[in-house]
């Protein structure tokens, strides 16, 4: 991943990323241009598909508007509206088609306690595509959340604890109400020194992950990652390298 920024009110950035899995390579190039409160993002993937997003921030106080589409997909256009207030947030997404899919999400609360919900509606079939809800509680050294997802079929609880500004652990437990299945994932993050961070992840399925990020100069990073998944018989181990550069 590569990035370059220009000084002044206008900023430009270029990001290149890629992932290789067996014989398959997936990558893209992203170009971003900022001018004042307006941002234009253009992404070109390895299949020559072009995704474009135009964002207008603070059209009115607290309101952000963005418009996005993909070429050559004529049905990919969508309009996002986001409104933020001290105690309230609202986000809506509307597909720009003759029979759009509409999604609405809202959150209300304080810095410690927040409650939120989201719902999706498909105007073609006149059906609800999703509805989720959740509550979170946050203090200086920990955060806990409970979420009802997948149209009420999944119950998910998560917890993160900060032992120090440089060390934290997290856990997530998922329960499928219909199948009575349970899953859990635990993870940790630790700063080895001011410029190096090590993260780990392990799940009850046997999947394990490791990531190490090093800031070798201000705002420039080298990241090494590895993952082992015993369920992927052909290639259970994966390795990755990412580089982010900034002048």
């Amino acid at each position: 991943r590569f990035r370059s920024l220009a000084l002044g009110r206008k900023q430009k950035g270029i990001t290149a990323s890629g992932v290789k899995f067996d014989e398959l390579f997936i990558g893209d190039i992203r170009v971003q241009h900022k001018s004042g409160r307006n941002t234009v993002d253009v992404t070109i993937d390895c299949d020559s598909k072009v995704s474009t997003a135009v964002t207008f921030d603070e059209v009115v106080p607290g309101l952000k508007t963005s418009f996005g589409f993909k070429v050559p997909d004529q049905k990919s256009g969508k309009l996002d509206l986001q409104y933020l207030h001290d105690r309230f947030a609202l986000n809506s997404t509307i597909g720009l088609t003759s029979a759009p899919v509409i999604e609405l999400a809202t959150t209300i609360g304080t810095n410690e306690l927040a409650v939120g919900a989201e719902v999706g509606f498909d105007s073609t079939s006149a059906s609800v595509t999703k509805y989720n809800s959740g509550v979170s509680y946050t203090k200086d050294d920990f955060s806990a959340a409970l979420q009802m997802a997948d149209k009420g079929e999944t119950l998910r609880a998560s917890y993160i604890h900060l032992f120090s500004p440089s060390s934290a652990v997290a856990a997530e437990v998922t329960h499928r109400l219909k199948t009575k299945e349970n899953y859990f994932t635990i993870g940790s993050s630790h700063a080895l020194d001011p410029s190096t961070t090590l993260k780990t992840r392990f799940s009850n399925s046997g999947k394990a992950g490791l990531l190490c990020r090093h800031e070798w100069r201000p705002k420039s990073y080298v990241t090494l990652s590895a993952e082992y998944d015993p369920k992927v018989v052909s290639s259970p181990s994966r390795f990755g390298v990412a580089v982010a550069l900034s002048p």
Side-chain angles (χ1 to χ4, degrees), residues 102-177:
I102 302 172
E103 297 182 353
L104 181 67
T106 183
T107 302
I108 186 171
T110 65
N111 292 334
E112 293 186 352
L113 181 65
V115 178
E118 64 175 348
V119 63
F121 180 78
D122 188 348
S123 60
T124 301
S125 59
S127 62
V128 176
T129 58
K130 68 176 181 180
Y131 52 86
N132 306 314
S133 61
V135 58
S136 66
Y137 183 72
T138 303
K139 297 293 287 186
D140 293 337
D141 59 345
F142 75 89
S143 177
L146 182 65
Q147 181 185 19
M148 183 70 73
D150 301 329
K151 297 183 180 180
E153 296 182 1
T154 301
L155 184 63
R156 184 178 295 114
S158 60
Y159 178 83
I160 181 171
H161 190 89
L162 301 177
F163 291 102
S164 68
S166 61
S167 297
V169 295
E172 182 182 84
V173 178
T174 301
H175 176 67
R176 305 288 185 184
L177 298 179

Side-chain angles (χ1 to χ4, degrees), residues 188-201:
S188 67
S189 176
H190 179 68
L192 302 178
D193 56 53
S195 59
T196 307
T197 302
L198 181 68
K199 296 182 179 181
T200 62
R201 185 185 73 252

Side-chain angles (χ1 to χ4, degrees), residues 211-228:
L211 181 146
C212 183
R213 188 181 75 166
H214 178 70
E215 185 179 19
W216 58 282
R217 72 176 189 178
K219 297 183 180 180
S220 294
Y221 302 91
V222 175
T223 303
L224 304 177
S225 62
E227 183 181 78
Y228 177 79

Side-chain angles (χ1 to χ4, degrees), residues 198-211:
L198 181 68
K199 296 182 179 181
T200 62
R201 185 185 73 252
F202 178 78
S203 67
N204 65 315
S205 64
K207 181 185 292 186
L210 178 69
L211 181 146

